[in-house]
């Protein structure tokens, strides 16, 4: 049987640094082939070569048996290859419909095909809404629909479920299985082992630009897959030395330990109503709920990015309702947004500038100081980079996330709000981020963590608040935190 994709000896380097080292990879028709690996392992670069976005330095690429020295994106689309990127790339000012149907014929047949796809996915997108108004999960669905509408025979999904709810994930999996039955080959890039076992018949693991394990998924247990992704010298969790590198500049606390860092009374804003809560120094509070439950809207209102309609907010003993973002930041309220590329990082600026971007402007462009800051977080977080002047856009998604975390910590938070902090981050780096949050909380910082992956909260959060349709539907103390209870509250029931 002729493979849909056969890559032989693919090699690629950037700025003299090899990122792909003689890669072999095969995808058959009707197969889901999972591609795993740590951040910076080369997964996305390999798939960008298949999709025509990048050019290999050497190696051979065969698509349905036809040899290509290189592909262009237009050729790749004509060959039925469609890459759904980890970070959705939509036209923000166009409607959802215009984004999905971009460069497709506008006729009744196309409209009917789109309606059929939406029904198959049980997807309730507002086709007339501007793409800029969508949550990240809905942006991801628009990207997937783009590929499906182009009758892709090779579909590359790069972390497609990172921001999807369990229900949305299951609907996507049903669609993937339907595509398999039609002979579509799917490359499924993911860090979620249960999903890979549920969906993929084959798995390949990359590390440091090479394929170190490949075969049928059933041949390997979870321990073998994690070991293949993990560098031999890697230690689990943060070492004492790493924790020293993560020491924050100073304690901002002015009140007694039992005085709340954040107090919210009857807060109402876009997407939520009448919220009351308190968060104390040194605790990690999880904020769970389904996509659209109002979690991100609440966080952005706390930070001053959205207007509040009623209620009051105190940071320690200071009421900050009318403060602009800059004033809240100066008082110690720091926010890590859920979409690092759209509202987090300056992608075409160097790592050193991104890391200090929340500090006083007088400290910017002090290259020696910035380089020292980058080195500190490079050591603490294991950020893979060539140097402090490397452009953030050229880093892998996980390393971009670590740069964003470094920026938030360098701002010396009193309250740190992290929205989907492990989105697009590999298994090993997730463990680092969990340890990092624990280390930050141990330094008297209050942490509010929003995550769509509710499996993250047990063992990490001191307590979990659960939202449903814009309201707090319950609170679970550490001993009662479980996936079943959180899901029950998220769907409007009782724990």
């Amino acid at each position: 049987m002729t493979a849909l994709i056969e890559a032989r000896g693919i090699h690629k380097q950037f700025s003299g640094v090899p990122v792909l080292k003689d890669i072999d990879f095969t995808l058959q028709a009707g197969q889901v082939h999972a591609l795993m690996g740590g951040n910076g392992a080369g997964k996305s670069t390999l798939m960008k070569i298949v999709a025509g976005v990048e050019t290999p330095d050497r190696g051979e690429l065969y698509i349905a048996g036809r040899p290509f020295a290189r592909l262009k994106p237009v050729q790749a689309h004509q060959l039925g290859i469609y890459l759904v990127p980890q970070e959705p790339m939509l036209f923000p000012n166009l409607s959802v419909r215009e984004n999905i149907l971009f460069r497709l014929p506008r006729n009744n047949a196309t409209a009917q095909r789109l309606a059929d796809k939406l029904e198959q996915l049980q997807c309730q997108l507002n086709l007339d809404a501007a793409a800029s108004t969508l949550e990240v999960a809905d942006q991801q669905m628009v990207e997937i629909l783009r590929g499906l509408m182009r009758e892709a025979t090779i579909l590359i999904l790069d972390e497609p479920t990172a921001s999807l709810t369990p229900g949305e994930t299951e609907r996507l999996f049903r669609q993937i299985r339907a595509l398999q039955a039609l002979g579509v080959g799917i490359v499924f890039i993911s860090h979620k082992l249960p999903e890979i076992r549920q969906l993929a018949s084959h798995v390949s693991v990359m590390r440091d630009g090479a394929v170190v394990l490949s075969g049928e998924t059933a041949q390997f247990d979870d321990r073998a897959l994690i070991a293949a992704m993990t560098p031999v010298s890697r230690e689990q969790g943060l070492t004492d030395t790493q924790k020293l590198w993560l020491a924050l500049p100073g304690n901002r606390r002015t009140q007694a330990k039992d005085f709340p860092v954040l107090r919210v009374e009857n807060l109402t804003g876009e997407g939520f109503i009448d919220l009351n809560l308190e968060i104390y120094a040194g605790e990690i509070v999880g904020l769970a709920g389904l996509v659209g439950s109002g979690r991100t809207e609440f966080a952005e209102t706390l930070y001053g990015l959205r207007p509040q309609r009623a209620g009051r907010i105190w940071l320690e003993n200071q009421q900050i309702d009318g403060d602009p973002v800059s004033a809240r930041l100066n008082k110690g309220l720091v926010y890590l947004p859920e979409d690092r590329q759209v509202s987090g990082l300056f992608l075409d600026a160097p790592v050193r500038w991104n890391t200090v971007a929340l500090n006083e402007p007088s400290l910017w462009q002090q290259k020696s100081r910035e380089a020292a800051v980058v080195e500190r977080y490079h050591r603490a977080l294991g950020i893979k980079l060539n140097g402090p002047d490397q452009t953030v856009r050229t880093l892998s998604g996980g390393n971009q996330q670590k740069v964003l975390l470094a920026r938030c910590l360098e701002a010396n938070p009193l309250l740190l709000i992290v929205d989907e902090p492990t989105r697009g981050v590999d298994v090993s780096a997730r463990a680092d981020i969990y340890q990092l949050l624990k280390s930050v909380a141990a330094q008297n910082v209050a942490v509010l963590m929003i995550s769509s992956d509710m499996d993250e909260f047990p063992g990490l959060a001191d307590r979990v608040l659960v939202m449903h349709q814009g309201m707090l539907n319950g609170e679970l103390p550490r001993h009662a935190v479980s996936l079943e209870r959180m899901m029950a509250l998220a769907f409007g029931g009782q724990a």
Side-chain angles (χ1 to χ4, degrees):
M1 184 185 298
T2 302
L4 291 178
I5 300 174
E6 186 174 2
R8 302 178 188 169
I10 300 295
H11 187 92
K12 178 69 177 178
Q13 63 181 23
F14 293 115
S15 303
V17 178
V19 293
L20 295 178
K21 306 168 186 174
D22 300 320
I23 297 290
D24 293 336
F25 182 84
T26 303
L27 176 70
Q28 301 289 347
Q31 181 185 79
V32 176
H33 193 145
L35 187 58
M36 303 182 69
N39 297 121
K43 310 180 299 295
S44 295
T45 301
L46 176 62
M47 289 302 107
K48 285 177 180 177
I49 287 174
V50 172
V53 179
E54 298 284 357
T55 304
D57 297 325
R58 65 171 184 265
E60 299 173 308
L61 188 63
Y62 294 83
I63 306 298
R66 293 175 58 188
F68 293 90
R70 63 153 297 172
L71 285 173
K72 295 181 179 179
V74 172
Q75 283 179 294
H77 283 171
Q78 291 170 345
L79 292 166
I81 302 169
Y82 195 81
L83 169 64
V84 177
Q86 183 182 120
E87 304 294 341
M89 301 175 66
L90 306 183
F91 300 102
N93 296 323
L94 296 184
S95 69
V96 171
R97 179 185 287 102
E98 290 167 329
N99 269 277
I100 295 171
L101 302 181
F102 187 71
R103 289 195 168 181
L104 290 180
R106 304 297 180 89
N107 52 40
N108 291 337
T110 301
Q112 186 58 52
R113 280 181 55 229
L114 176 55
D116 292 342
K117 296 295 182 189
L118 289 168
E119 185 176 354
Q120 287 171 351
L121 281 173
Q122 298 179 38
C123 187
Q124 313 233 333
L125 287 172
N126 180 356
L127 296 179
D128 296 317
S132 60
T133 65
L134 297 182
E135 300 267 355
V136 173
D138 288 335
Q139 292 178 33
Q140 194 81 45
M141 199 58 69
V142 171
E143 282 281 14
I144 291 169
L145 283 163
R146 274 179 170 175
L148 298 180
M149 286 298 294
R150 283 157 178 78
E151 304 292 354
T153 56
I154 298 170
L155 192 60
I156 302 168
L157 304 179
D158 194 350
E159 294 284 351
T161 65
S163 296
L164 302 185
T165 66
E168 290 168 329
T169 296
E170 185 51 44
R171 287 197 294 273
L172 173 62
F173 283 6
R174 286 199 295 269
Q175 183 66 20
I176 288 174
R177 294 185 187 103
L179 291 169
Q180 278 184 272
L182 297 174
V184 175
I186 295 158
V187 180
F188 185 72
I189 301 176
S190 179
H191 299 120
K192 299 181 178 180
L193 291 171
E195 292 183 358
I196 287 170
R197 295 211 174 277
Q198 183 181 349
L199 196 64
S201 61
H202 289 70
V203 62
S204 293
V205 177
M206 295 183 66
R207 187 177 71 226
D208 296 328
V211 173
V212 294
L213 178 151
S214 188
E216 293 183 6
T217 308
Q219 293 178 344
F220 311 107
D221 60 18
D222 288 358
R223 184 177 300 177
L225 295 174
I226 292 172
M229 287 188 289
T230 306
V232 175
S233 61
R234 177 135 183 110
E235 298 182 31
Q236 296 301 312
L238 298 185
T239 65
D240 289 341
T241 302
Q242 285 177 304
K243 290 177 182 177
L244 285 174
W245 284 109
L246 279 174
L248 300 179
N251 189 353
R252 286 179 177 264
R253 287 287 283 164
T254 62
Q255 300 298 312
K257 187 175 182 179
D258 60 354
F259 194 91
V261 170
L262 176 73
R263 184 157 54 101
V264 171
E265 285 188 0
N266 304 317
L267 189 64
T268 297
E270 298 174 5
F272 64 92
I273 184 170
D274 201 26
L275 298 191
N276 292 273
L277 59 90
E278 293 180 346
I279 301 177
Y280 293 83
E283 69 171 349
I284 299 174
V285 177
L287 186 59
L290 305 179
V291 173
S293 62
R295 300 165 306 162
T296 293
E297 291 85 350
F298 170 59
E300 290 180 345
T301 302
L302 288 180
Y303 195 52
L305 296 174
R306 291 175 183 261
Q308 68 183 77
R309 295 172 180 167
R312 293 180 290 180
I313 307 169
W314 284 270
L315 191 66
E316 286 205 313
N317 65 342
Q318 301 181 72
Q319 192 167 343
I320 62 171
D321 302 347
D323 287 356
V325 171
S326 57
R328 300 181 196 213
L329 178 61
N330 289 335
K331 291 174 181 175
L333 200 165
V334 180
Y335 174 55
L336 184 147
E338 68 168 333
D339 193 329
R340 58 178 168 262
Q341 295 212 349
V342 172
S343 50
L345 295 164
F346 301 96
L347 294 173
D348 294 314
V351 171
R352 59 178 174 79
W353 195 87
N354 269 278
T355 308
V356 301
L358 294 182
N359 295 104
E360 287 292 328
S362 60
L363 300 176
W364 297 348
Q365 299 303 317
Q366 296 181 18
K367 287 193 175 183
S368 61
R369 177 191 173 278
E370 291 175 356
V373 170
V374 171
E375 177 62 17
R376 181 155 64 89
Y377 290 107
H378 163 67
R379 294 193 185 197
L381 304 181
I383 303 173
K384 290 185 178 180
L385 73 166
N386 298 331
D389 288 312
Q390 183 173 354
T391 303
V392 165
R393 188 184 294 279
T394 63
L395 298 179
S396 69
N399 284 300
Q400 289 180 1
Q401 188 74 350
K402 289 182 178 182
V403 170
L404 190 55
L405 278 163
R407 177 200 295 174
C408 291
L409 297 181
E410 188 61 16
N412 192 22
L414 176 65
L415 169 66
L416 176 62
I417 304 172
V418 287
D419 196 346
E420 306 287 0
T422 61
R423 181 168 168 254
V425 172
D426 65 57
V427 174
S428 182
R430 277 184 177 226
D432 279 354
I433 291 173
Y434 299 153
Q435 293 296 329
L436 179 152
L437 294 177
K438 290 179 180 179
S439 178
V440 169
Q443 298 179 62
N444 237 14
V445 175
V447 178
L448 177 63
M449 177 180 170
I450 300 170
S451 178
S452 298
D453 185 354
M454 296 186 194
D455 285 328
E456 295 194 303
F457 293 127
L460 178 65
D462 295 293
R463 54 194 172 96
V464 176
L465 308 173
V466 185
M467 293 186 67
H468 170 69
Q469 295 185 350
M471 303 178 70
L472 280 178
N473 191 39
E475 176 179 333
L476 298 171
R478 177 190 284 273
H479 67 83
V481 174
S482 69
L483 182 60
E484 293 76 15
R485 290 190 178 100
M486 289 185 288
M487 289 298 293
L489 291 169
F491 279 100
Q494 296 181 347

